[in-house]
Coordinates of all heavy atoms in Angstrom, one line a residue:
M20 N -82.3 -65.3 12.5 CA -81.3 -65.8 13.4 C -80.1 -64.9 13.5 O -79.7 -64.3 12.4 CB -80.9 -67.2 12.9 CG -79.7 -67.8 13.7 SD -79.6 -69.5 13.3 CE -79.1 -70.1 14.9
T21 N -79.6 -64.7 14.6 CA -78.5 -63.8 14.8 C -77.2 -64.5 14.6 O -77.0 -65.6 15.1 CB -78.5 -63.2 16.3 OG1 -79.7 -62.6 16.5 CG2 -77.4 -62.3 16.5
A22 N -76.3 -63.9 13.8 CA -75.0 -64.5 13.5 C -74.0 -63.9 14.5 O -74.0 -62.7 14.8 CB -74.6 -64.1 12.1
E23 N -73.3 -64.8 15.1 CA -72.3 -64.4 16.1 C -70.9 -64.2 15.4 O -70.5 -65.0 14.6 CB -72.1 -65.5 17.2 CG -71.1 -65.1 18.2 CD -71.0 -66.2 19.3 OE1 -72.0 -66.3 20.1 OE2 -70.0 -66.9 19.3
K24 N -70.3 -63.1 15.8 CA -68.9 -62.8 15.3 C -68.0 -62.8 16.5 O -68.4 -62.4 17.6 CB -68.9 -61.4 14.6 CG -69.8 -61.4 13.3 CD -69.7 -60.0 12.7 CE -70.6 -59.9 11.5 NZ -70.6 -58.6 10.9
R25 N -66.8 -63.1 16.2 CA -65.8 -63.1 17.3 C -64.6 -62.3 16.9 O -63.9 -62.6 15.9 CB -65.4 -64.5 17.7 CG -64.4 -64.5 18.9 CD -64.2 -65.9 19.4 NE -65.4 -66.5 19.8 CZ -65.9 -66.6 21.0 NH1 -65.2 -66.0 22.0 NH2 -67.0 -67.2 21.3
W26 N -64.3 -61.2 17.6 CA -63.1 -60.4 17.3 C -62.2 -60.6 18.5 O -62.7 -60.7 19.7 CB -63.4 -58.9 17.2 CG -64.2 -58.5 16.0 CD1 -64.7 -59.3 15.0 CD2 -64.5 -57.2 15.6 NE1 -65.3 -58.6 14.0 CE2 -65.2 -57.3 14.4 CE3 -64.3 -55.9 16.1 CZ2 -65.7 -56.2 13.7 CZ3 -64.8 -54.8 15.5 CH2 -65.4 -54.9 14.2
T27 N -60.9 -60.6 18.3 CA -60.0 -60.8 19.4 C -59.0 -59.6 19.4 O -58.7 -59.0 18.4 CB -59.2 -62.1 19.3 OG1 -58.5 -62.2 18.1 CG2 -60.2 -63.3 19.4
I28 N -58.5 -59.4 20.6 CA -57.5 -58.4 20.8 C -56.3 -59.0 21.5 O -56.4 -59.6 22.6 CB -58.0 -57.2 21.7 CG1 -59.2 -56.5 21.0 CG2 -56.9 -56.2 21.9 CD1 -59.8 -55.4 21.8
D29 N -55.1 -58.9 20.9 CA -53.9 -59.3 21.5 C -53.3 -58.1 22.1 O -53.2 -57.1 21.5 CB -52.9 -59.9 20.5 CG -53.3 -61.2 19.9 OD1 -54.0 -62.0 20.6 OD2 -53.0 -61.5 18.7
I30 N -52.8 -58.3 23.4 CA -52.2 -57.2 24.1 C -50.8 -57.6 24.4 O -50.5 -58.7 25.0 CB -52.9 -56.9 25.4 CG1 -54.3 -56.4 25.1 CG2 -52.1 -55.8 26.2 CD1 -55.2 -56.0 26.3
I31 N -49.8 -56.8 23.9 CA -48.4 -57.1 24.0 C -47.8 -56.0 24.9 O -48.0 -54.8 24.7 CB -47.7 -57.1 22.7 CG1 -48.2 -58.2 21.8 CG2 -46.2 -57.2 22.9 CD1 -49.3 -57.8 20.9
I32 N -47.1 -56.4 26.0 CA -46.6 -55.4 27.0 C -45.1 -55.7 27.0 O -44.6 -56.8 27.2 CB -47.2 -55.6 28.4 CG1 -48.7 -55.5 28.3 CG2 -46.6 -54.6 29.4 CD1 -49.4 -56.0 29.6
D33 N -44.3 -54.6 27.0 CA -42.9 -54.7 27.2 C -42.4 -53.5 28.0 O -43.0 -52.5 28.1 CB -42.1 -54.9 25.9 CG -42.3 -53.8 24.9 OD1 -42.3 -52.6 25.3 OD2 -42.5 -54.1 23.7
E34 N -41.3 -53.7 28.7 CA -40.7 -52.7 29.6 C -39.4 -52.3 29.1 O -38.6 -53.1 28.5 CB -40.6 -53.2 31.0 CG -42.0 -53.5 31.7 CD -41.9 -54.1 33.0 OE1 -40.8 -54.5 33.5 OE2 -42.9 -54.1 33.7
H35 N -39.1 -51.0 29.3 CA -37.8 -50.4 28.9 C -37.2 -49.6 30.0 O -37.9 -49.3 31.0 CB -38.0 -49.5 27.6 CG -38.6 -50.3 26.5 ND1 -37.9 -51.0 25.6 CD2 -39.9 -50.4 26.1 CE1 -38.7 -51.5 24.7 NE2 -39.9 -51.2 25.0
D36 N -36.0 -49.2 29.8 CA -35.3 -48.3 30.7 C -35.3 -48.8 32.1 O -35.7 -48.1 33.1 CB -35.9 -46.9 30.7 CG -35.9 -46.3 29.3 OD1 -34.9 -46.6 28.5 OD2 -36.8 -45.5 29.0
D37 N -34.8 -50.1 32.3 CA -34.8 -50.7 33.7 C -36.2 -50.6 34.3 O -36.3 -50.3 35.5 CB -33.8 -50.0 34.5 CG -32.4 -50.2 34.0 OD1 -32.1 -51.3 33.5 OD2 -31.5 -49.3 34.2
Q38 N -37.2 -51.0 33.6 CA -38.6 -51.1 34.0 C -39.2 -49.7 34.5 O -40.1 -49.7 35.2 CB -38.7 -52.1 35.1 CG -38.3 -53.5 34.7 CD -38.4 -54.5 35.8 OE1 -38.6 -54.2 36.9 NE2 -38.2 -55.8 35.4
R39 N -38.7 -48.6 34.0 CA -39.3 -47.3 34.3 C -40.3 -46.9 33.2 O -41.1 -46.0 33.5 CB -38.2 -46.3 34.4 CG -37.4 -46.4 35.7 CD -36.3 -45.3 35.9 NE -36.9 -44.0 35.6 CZ -36.1 -43.0 35.2 NH1 -34.8 -43.2 35.0 NH2 -36.6 -41.8 34.9
R40 N -40.2 -47.5 32.1 CA -41.2 -47.2 31.0 C -41.8 -48.5 30.5 O -41.1 -49.4 30.2 CB -40.4 -46.5 29.9 CG -41.4 -45.9 28.8 CD -40.7 -45.0 27.8 NE -39.8 -45.7 27.0 CZ -40.1 -46.2 25.8 NH1 -41.4 -46.1 25.4 NH2 -39.3 -46.9 25.1
T41 N -43.1 -48.5 30.4 CA -43.9 -49.6 29.9 C -44.6 -49.2 28.7 O -45.2 -48.2 28.6 CB -44.9 -50.1 31.0 OG1 -44.2 -50.4 32.2 CG2 -45.6 -51.3 30.5
R42 N -44.5 -50.1 27.7 CA -45.2 -49.9 26.4 C -46.2 -51.0 26.2 O -45.9 -52.2 26.4 CB -44.2 -49.8 25.2 CG -44.9 -49.5 23.9 CD -43.9 -49.4 22.8 NE -43.2 -50.7 22.7 CZ -42.2 -51.0 21.8 NH1 -41.8 -50.0 21.1 NH2 -41.7 -52.2 21.8
A43 N -47.4 -50.7 25.7 CA -48.4 -51.7 25.4 C -48.9 -51.5 24.0 O -49.1 -50.4 23.5 CB -49.5 -51.7 26.4
Q44 N -49.2 -52.6 23.3 CA -49.9 -52.6 22.0 C -51.2 -53.4 22.1 O -51.1 -54.5 22.7 CB -49.0 -53.1 20.9 CG -47.9 -52.2 20.6 CD -47.1 -52.7 19.3 OE1 -47.1 -53.9 19.1 NE2 -46.6 -51.8 18.6
A45 N -52.3 -52.9 21.6 CA -53.5 -53.7 21.5 C -53.9 -53.9 20.1 O -54.2 -52.9 19.4 CB -54.6 -52.9 22.2
R46 N -53.7 -55.1 19.6 CA -53.9 -55.4 18.2 C -55.3 -56.1 18.0 O -55.5 -57.2 18.6 CB -52.8 -56.3 17.7 CG -51.5 -55.7 17.7 CD -50.4 -56.6 17.2 NE -49.1 -56.0 17.4 CZ -47.9 -56.6 17.5 NH1 -47.9 -57.9 17.4 NH2 -46.8 -56.0 17.7
L47 N -56.1 -55.5 17.2 CA -57.5 -56.0 16.9 C -57.4 -57.0 15.7 O -56.9 -56.6 14.7 CB -58.4 -54.9 16.7 CG -59.9 -55.3 16.3 CD1 -60.6 -56.0 17.4 CD2 -60.7 -54.0 15.8
H48 N -58.0 -58.1 15.9 CA -58.2 -59.1 14.8 C -59.7 -59.4 14.6 O -60.3 -59.9 15.5 CB -57.5 -60.4 15.2 CG -56.0 -60.3 15.6 ND1 -55.1 -60.1 14.6 CD2 -55.5 -60.2 16.8 CE1 -53.9 -60.0 15.3 NE2 -54.1 -60.0 16.6
T49 N -60.2 -59.0 13.4 CA -61.6 -59.1 13.1 C -61.9 -60.3 12.2 O -63.0 -60.6 12.0 CB -62.1 -57.9 12.5 OG1 -61.5 -57.7 11.2 CG2 -61.9 -56.6 13.4
G50 N -60.8 -60.8 11.6 CA -61.0 -61.9 10.6 C -61.1 -61.4 9.2 O -61.0 -62.1 8.2
A51 N -61.3 -60.0 9.0 CA -61.3 -59.4 7.7 C -59.9 -59.2 7.2 O -59.1 -58.8 8.0 CB -62.1 -58.1 7.7
A52 N -59.7 -59.5 6.0 CA -58.3 -59.4 5.4 C -57.8 -57.9 5.5 O -56.6 -57.7 5.8 CB -58.3 -59.9 4.0
A53 N -58.6 -57.0 5.3 CA -58.2 -55.6 5.2 C -58.2 -54.9 6.6 O -57.8 -53.7 6.7 CB -59.1 -54.8 4.3
S54 N -58.6 -55.6 7.6 CA -58.7 -54.9 8.9 C -57.4 -55.2 9.8 O -57.1 -56.3 10.1 CB -59.9 -55.5 9.7 OG -60.0 -54.9 10.9
S55 N -56.8 -54.1 10.1 CA -55.6 -54.2 11.0 C -55.4 -52.9 11.7 O -54.9 -52.0 11.3 CB -54.3 -54.5 10.2 OG -54.0 -53.5 9.3
L56 N -56.0 -52.9 12.9 CA -55.9 -51.8 13.8 C -55.0 -52.1 15.0 O -55.1 -53.2 15.5 CB -57.2 -51.3 14.3 CG -58.2 -50.7 13.2 CD1 -59.5 -50.4 13.9 CD2 -57.6 -49.5 12.6
C57 N -54.2 -51.2 15.4 CA -53.3 -51.4 16.5 C -53.2 -50.2 17.4 O -52.7 -49.1 16.8 CB -51.9 -51.9 16.1 SG -50.8 -52.2 17.4
G58 N -53.6 -50.2 18.6 CA -53.5 -49.1 19.5 C -52.3 -49.2 20.3 O -51.8 -50.3 20.6
S59 N -51.7 -48.1 20.7 CA -50.5 -48.1 21.5 C -50.6 -47.2 22.7 O -51.4 -46.2 22.7 CB -49.3 -47.8 20.7 OG -49.4 -46.5 20.2
G60 N -49.9 -47.5 23.8 CA -50.0 -46.7 25.0 C -48.7 -46.9 25.8 O -48.1 -48.0 25.7
T61 N -48.3 -45.9 26.5 CA -47.1 -46.0 27.3 C -47.4 -45.5 28.8 O -48.4 -44.8 29.0 CB -45.9 -45.2 26.8 OG1 -46.3 -43.8 26.7 CG2 -45.5 -45.7 25.4
A62 N -46.6 -45.9 29.7 CA -46.6 -45.4 31.1 C -45.2 -45.3 31.5 O -44.3 -46.0 31.1 CB -47.3 -46.4 32.0
R63 N -44.9 -44.2 32.3 CA -43.6 -44.0 32.8 C -43.7 -43.9 34.3 O -44.5 -43.1 34.9 CB -43.0 -42.7 32.2 CG -41.6 -42.4 32.6 CD -41.1 -41.1 32.1 NE -41.9 -40.0 32.6 CZ -41.7 -39.4 33.8 NH1 -40.8 -39.9 34.6 NH2 -42.5 -38.4 34.1
R64 N -42.8 -44.6 35.0 CA -42.7 -44.6 36.5 C -41.8 -43.5 36.9 O -40.6 -43.4 36.4 CB -42.3 -45.9 37.0 CG -42.1 -45.9 38.5 CD -41.7 -47.3 39.1 NE -40.5 -47.8 38.5 CZ -39.3 -47.5 39.0 NH1 -39.1 -46.7 40.0 NH2 -38.2 -48.0 38.4
N65 N -42.2 -42.7 37.8 CA -41.4 -41.6 38.4 C -40.2 -42.3 39.2 O -40.5 -43.3 39.9 CB -42.2 -40.7 39.3 CG -41.4 -39.6 39.8 OD1 -40.2 -39.6 40.2 ND2 -42.1 -38.4 39.8
P66 N -39.0 -41.9 39.0 CA -37.9 -42.6 39.7 C -38.0 -42.7 41.2 O -37.5 -43.6 41.8 CB -36.6 -41.8 39.3 CG -37.0 -41.1 38.0 CD -38.5 -40.9 38.1
V67 N -38.7 -41.8 41.8 CA -38.9 -41.8 43.3 C -40.0 -42.7 43.7 O -40.1 -43.0 44.9 CB -39.1 -40.4 43.8 CG1 -37.9 -39.5 43.5 CG2 -40.4 -39.8 43.3
D68 N -40.8 -43.2 42.8 CA -42.0 -44.1 43.1 C -41.5 -45.5 43.3 O -40.5 -45.9 42.7 CB -43.0 -44.1 42.1 CG -43.8 -42.7 42.0 OD1 -43.7 -42.0 43.0 OD2 -44.5 -42.5 41.0
R69 N -42.2 -46.3 44.2 CA -41.9 -47.7 44.3 C -42.1 -48.4 43.0 O -43.0 -48.0 42.2 CB -42.8 -48.3 45.4 CG -42.2 -48.4 46.7 CD -43.1 -49.2 47.6 NE -44.0 -50.1 47.0 CZ -45.2 -50.5 47.5 NH1 -45.5 -50.1 48.7 NH2 -45.9 -51.4 46.9
E70 N -41.4 -49.5 42.8 CA -41.6 -50.3 41.6 C -42.7 -51.3 41.8 O -42.6 -52.2 42.5 CB -40.3 -51.0 41.2 CG -40.3 -51.8 39.9 CD -39.0 -52.4 39.6 OE1 -38.0 -51.8 39.9 OE2 -39.0 -53.5 39.0
V71 N -43.8 -51.0 41.1 CA -45.0 -51.9 41.1 C -45.3 -52.1 39.6 O -46.1 -51.4 39.0 CB -46.2 -51.3 41.9 CG1 -47.3 -52.3 41.9 CG2 -45.7 -50.9 43.3
P72 N -44.8 -53.1 38.9 CA -44.9 -53.3 37.5 C -46.4 -53.4 37.0 O -46.7 -52.9 35.9 CB -44.2 -54.7 37.2 CG -43.2 -54.8 38.3 CD -43.9 -54.2 39.5
E73 N -47.3 -53.9 37.9 CA -48.7 -54.1 37.5 C -49.3 -52.7 37.2 O -50.2 -52.6 36.3 CB -49.5 -54.8 38.5 CG -49.1 -56.2 38.8 CD -47.9 -56.4 39.7 OE1 -47.5 -55.4 40.3 OE2 -47.3 -57.5 39.7
I74 N -48.9 -51.7 37.9 CA -49.5 -50.4 37.7 C -49.1 -49.8 36.3 O -49.9 -49.3 35.6 CB -49.1 -49.4 38.8 CG1 -49.7 -49.9 40.2 CG2 -49.5 -48.0 38.5 CD1 -49.2 -49.1 41.4
G75 N -47.8 -50.0 36.0 CA -47.4 -49.5 34.6 C -48.1 -50.3 33.5 O -48.5 -49.7 32.5
D76 N -48.3 -51.6 33.8 CA -49.0 -52.4 32.8 C -50.4 -51.9 32.6 O -50.9 -51.8 31.5 CB -49.0 -53.9 33.2 CG -47.6 -54.6 33.2 OD1 -46.6 -54.0 32.7 OD2 -47.6 -55.7 33.7
E77 N -51.1 -51.7 33.7 CA -52.5 -51.3 33.7 C -52.6 -49.9 33.0 O -53.5 -49.8 32.1 CB -53.0 -51.1 35.1 CG -53.2 -52.4 35.8 CD -53.4 -52.3 37.3 OE1 -53.2 -51.2 37.9 OE2 -53.8 -53.3 37.9
V78 N -51.7 -49.0 33.3 CA -51.8 -47.7 32.6 C -51.5 -47.8 31.1 O -52.3 -47.2 30.3 CB -50.9 -46.6 33.3 CG1 -50.8 -45.3 32.6 CG2 -51.4 -46.4 34.8
A79 N -50.5 -48.5 30.8 CA -50.1 -48.6 29.4 C -51.2 -49.3 28.6 O -51.5 -48.9 27.5 CB -48.7 -49.3 29.2
V80 N -51.7 -50.4 29.1 CA -52.8 -51.2 28.4 C -54.0 -50.3 28.3 O -54.7 -50.3 27.2 CB -53.0 -52.5 29.1 CG1 -54.3 -53.2 28.6 CG2 -51.8 -53.4 29.0
A81 N -54.4 -49.6 29.3 CA -55.6 -48.7 29.3 C -55.4 -47.7 28.2 O -56.4 -47.5 27.4 CB -55.9 -48.1 30.6
R82 N -54.3 -47.1 28.1 CA -54.0 -46.1 27.0 C -54.0 -46.8 25.6 O -54.5 -46.2 24.7 CB -52.7 -45.4 27.3 CG -52.8 -44.5 28.5 CD -51.5 -43.8 28.9 NE -51.7 -42.9 29.9 CZ -50.7 -42.4 30.7 NH1 -49.4 -42.7 30.4 NH2 -51.0 -41.5 31.6
A83 N -53.5 -48.0 25.5 CA -53.5 -48.7 24.2 C -54.9 -49.0 23.8 O -55.3 -48.8 22.6 CB -52.6 -49.9 24.3
L84 N -55.7 -49.4 24.7 CA -57.1 -49.8 24.4 C -57.9 -48.5 24.1 O -58.8 -48.5 23.2 CB -57.8 -50.5 25.6 CG -57.3 -51.9 25.8 CD1 -57.8 -52.5 27.1 CD2 -57.7 -52.8 24.6
F85 N -57.6 -47.4 24.8 CA -58.3 -46.1 24.4 C -57.9 -45.7 23.0 O -58.8 -45.3 22.2 CB -57.9 -45.1 25.5 CG -58.5 -43.8 25.2 CD1 -59.8 -43.5 25.7 CD2 -57.9 -42.7 24.5 CE1 -60.5 -42.3 25.5 CE2 -58.5 -41.5 24.3 CZ -59.8 -41.3 24.8
D86 N -56.6 -45.8 22.7 CA -56.2 -45.5 21.3 C -56.8 -46.4 20.3 O -57.3 -45.9 19.2 CB -54.6 -45.6 21.2 CG -54.1 -45.2 19.9 OD1 -54.6 -44.3 19.3 OD2 -53.1 -45.9 19.4
L87 N -56.9 -47.7 20.6 CA -57.6 -48.6 19.7 C -59.1 -48.2 19.5 O -59.6 -48.2 18.4 CB -57.5 -50.0 20.2 CG -58.1 -51.1 19.3 CD1 -57.6 -51.2 17.9 CD2 -58.0 -52.5 20.0
A88 N -59.8 -47.9 20.6 CA -61.2 -47.5 20.5 C -61.4 -46.3 19.7 O -62.3 -46.2 18.8 CB -61.7 -47.3 21.9
H89 N -60.5 -45.3 19.8 CA -60.5 -44.1 19.0 C -60.4 -44.4 17.5 O -61.1 -43.9 16.7 CB -59.5 -43.1 19.5 CG -59.5 -41.9 18.7 ND1 -60.4 -40.8 18.9 CD2 -58.7 -41.5 17.7 CE1 -60.1 -39.9 18.0 NE2 -59.1 -40.2 17.3
Q90 N -59.4 -45.3 17.2 CA -59.2 -45.7 15.8 C -60.4 -46.4 15.2 O -60.8 -46.2 14.1 CB -58.0 -46.5 15.7 CG -56.7 -45.8 15.9 CD -55.5 -46.8 15.8 OE1 -55.5 -47.6 14.8 NE2 -54.6 -46.7 16.7
L91 N -61.0 -47.3 16.0 CA -62.2 -48.0 15.6 C -63.4 -47.1 15.3 O -64.1 -47.3 14.3 CB -62.5 -49.1 16.6 CG -63.5 -50.2 16.2 CD1 -63.0 -50.9 14.9 CD2 -63.6 -51.2 17.4
L92 N -63.6 -46.2 16.2 CA -64.7 -45.2 16.0 C -64.4 -44.4 14.7 O -65.4 -44.1 14.0 CB -64.8 -44.3 17.2 CG -65.7 -44.8 18.3 CD1 -65.7 -43.8 19.5 CD2 -67.1 -45.0 17.9
L93 N -63.2 -44.0 14.5 CA -62.9 -43.2 13.3 C -63.1 -44.0 12.1 O -63.7 -43.6 11.1 CB -61.4 -42.7 13.4 CG -60.9 -41.9 12.2 CD1 -61.8 -40.7 12.0 CD2 -59.5 -41.5 12.3
A94 N -62.8 -45.3 12.1 CA -63.0 -46.2 11.0 C -64.5 -46.3 10.7 O -65.0 -46.3 9.6 CB -62.4 -47.6 11.2
A95 N -65.3 -46.4 11.8 CA -66.8 -46.5 11.6 C -67.3 -45.2 11.0 O -68.2 -45.3 10.1 CB -67.4 -46.8 13.0
V96 N -66.8 -44.1 11.5 CA -67.3 -42.8 10.9 C -67.0 -42.7 9.4 O -67.8 -42.4 8.6 CB -66.7 -41.6 11.7 CG1 -66.8 -40.3 10.9 CG2 -67.3 -41.5 13.0
L97 N -65.8 -43.1 9.0 CA -65.4 -43.1 7.6 C -66.2 -44.0 6.8 O -66.7 -43.7 5.7 CB -63.9 -43.4 7.5 CG -62.9 -42.4 8.1 CD1 -61.5 -42.8 8.0 CD2 -63.1 -41.0 7.4
D98 N -66.5 -45.2 7.4 CA -67.4 -46.2 6.6 C -68.8 -45.6 6.5 O -69.4 -45.7 5.4 CB -67.4 -47.5 7.4 CG -66.1 -48.3 7.3 OD1 -65.3 -47.9 6.4 OD2 -65.9 -49.2 8.1
I99 N -69.4 -45.0 7.5 CA -70.7 -44.4 7.5 C -70.8 -43.3 6.4 O -71.7 -43.3 5.6 CB -71.1 -43.9 8.9 CG1 -71.4 -45.0 9.8 CG2 -72.4 -43.0 8.7 CD1 -71.5 -44.6 11.3
E100 N -69.8 -42.5 6.4 CA -69.7 -41.4 5.5 C -69.6 -41.9 4.0 O -70.2 -41.3 3.1 CB -68.6 -40.4 5.8 CG -68.9 -39.6 7.1 CD -67.8 -38.7 7.5 OE1 -66.6 -38.8 7.0 OE2 -68.0 -37.8 8.4
Q101 N -68.9 -43.0 3.8 CA -68.7 -43.5 2.5 C -70.0 -44.1 2.0 O -70.3 -44.0 0.8 CB -67.6 -44.6 2.5 CG -67.3 -45.1 1.1 CD -66.1 -46.1 1.2 OE1 -65.8 -46.7 2.3 NE2 -65.5 -46.4 0.1
V102 N -70.8 -44.7 2.9 CA -72.1 -45.3 2.5 C -73.2 -44.2 2.4 O -74.0 -44.2 1.4 CB -72.5 -46.3 3.5 CG1 -73.9 -46.8 3.3 CG2 -71.5 -47.5 3.5
S103 N -73.2 -43.3 3.3 CA -74.3 -42.3 3.3 C -74.0 -41.0 2.5 O -75.0 -40.3 2.2 CB -74.6 -41.9 4.8 OG -73.5 -41.1 5.3
H104 N -72.8 -40.8 2.2 CA -72.4 -39.5 1.5 C -72.7 -38.3 2.3 O -73.0 -37.2 1.8 CB -72.9 -39.5 0.1 CG -72.6 -40.7 -0.7 ND1 -71.3 -40.9 -1.1 CD2 -73.3 -41.7 -1.1 CE1 -71.3 -42.1 -1.8 NE2 -72.5 -42.6 -1.8
E105 N -72.8 -38.4 3.7 CA -73.1 -37.3 4.6 C -72.1 -37.4 5.7 O -71.7 -38.5 6.1 CB -74.5 -37.4 5.1 CG -75.6 -37.2 4.0 CD -77.0 -37.2 4.5 OE1 -77.1 -37.1 5.8 OE2 -77.9 -37.4 3.7
P106 N -71.9 -36.2 6.4 CA -71.0 -36.2 7.6 C -71.6 -37.1 8.7 O -72.9 -37.1 8.9 CB -71.0 -34.8 8.0 CG -71.3 -34.0 6.8 CD -72.3 -34.9 6.0
A107 N -70.8 -37.9 9.4 CA -71.3 -38.7 10.4 C -70.7 -38.3 11.7 O -69.5 -37.8 11.8 CB -70.9 -40.2 10.1
R108 N -71.4 -38.5 12.8 CA -71.0 -38.2 14.2 C -71.3 -39.4 15.0 O -72.4 -39.8 15.2 CB -71.6 -37.0 14.7 CG -71.2 -35.7 14.0 CD -71.9 -34.5 14.6 NE -71.8 -34.5 16.0 CZ -71.9 -33.4 16.7 NH1 -72.2 -32.2 16.1 NH2 -71.8 -33.4 18.1
V109 N -70.2 -40.0 15.5 CA -70.4 -41.2 16.4 C -69.6 -40.9 17.7 O -68.4 -40.6 17.6 CB -69.8 -42.5 15.7 CG1 -69.9 -43.7 16.6 CG2 -70.5 -42.7 14.4
G110 N -70.3 -41.0 18.8 CA -69.7 -40.7 20.1 C -69.3 -41.9 20.8 O -69.5 -43.0 20.4
M111 N -68.8 -41.7 22.0 CA -68.3 -42.8 22.9 C -69.4 -43.3 23.8 O -69.2 -44.3 24.5 CB -67.1 -42.3 23.7 CG -65.8 -42.1 22.9 SD -65.1 -43.6 22.3 CE -64.5 -44.4 23.7
S112 N -70.6 -42.7 23.8 CA -71.6 -43.2 24.7 C -72.1 -44.6 24.3 O -72.1 -44.9 23.1 CB -72.8 -42.2 24.8 OG -73.4 -42.1 23.6
A113 N -72.6 -45.4 25.3 CA -73.1 -46.7 25.0 C -74.5 -46.7 24.3 O -74.9 -47.7 23.8 CB -73.1 -47.5 26.3
G114 N -75.2 -45.6 24.4 CA -76.6 -45.6 23.9 C -76.7 -44.8 22.8 O -77.2 -44.6 21.8

């Protein structure tokens, strides 16, 4: 029987500098006591561009998730190497 696990990610977005800079944090919750990964990303609006807050949110969140994914892969590599005692290579491809 397959056991189901549920991990959640909280995404926190805030704006600074009169909404010209957006910062996002993606916090992963796995349920494990020792697990605490948090990715971060920012976006900056050019002063001559129209103010469309959703765009800054999307860019900052995408960058935060990318940072979180990188940290998670690095954690997996370190775990594999600790168990196998050999160098590990884990890429971003789905297969």
Side-chain angles (χ1 to χ4, degrees):
M20 175 166 216
T21 303
E23 181 178 288
K24 296 179 184 180
R25 183 173 302 265
W26 291 5
T27 59
I28 298 173
D29 289 329
I30 297 177
I31 298 93
I32 304 168
D33 55 48
E34 295 177 347
H35 300 277
D36 303 330
D37 294 328
Q38 299 180 349
R39 286 183 46 206
R40 189 170 70 89
T41 304
R42 181 180 64 184
Q44 290 186 330
R46 297 179 184 158
L47 175 65
H48 304 281
T49 65
S54 178
S55 64
L56 294 177
C57 182
S59 61
T61 59
R63 184 184 60 80
R64 179 178 57 86
N65 188 316
V67 299
D68 290 343
R69 260 189 26 206
E70 185 177 324
V71 183
E73 293 83 12
I74 294 172
D76 293 351
E77 291 166 347
V78 171
V80 169
R82 290 175 174 165
L84 289 169
F85 183 82
D86 182 38
L87 178 61
H89 179 77
Q90 290 181 44
L91 193 55
L92 275 175
L93 180 58
V96 165
L97 294 174
D98 288 345
I99 291 167
E100 289 177 347
Q101 187 176 19
V102 171
S103 69
H104 305 291
E105 293 182 18
R108 291 177 52 158
V109 177
M111 289 292 286
S112 66

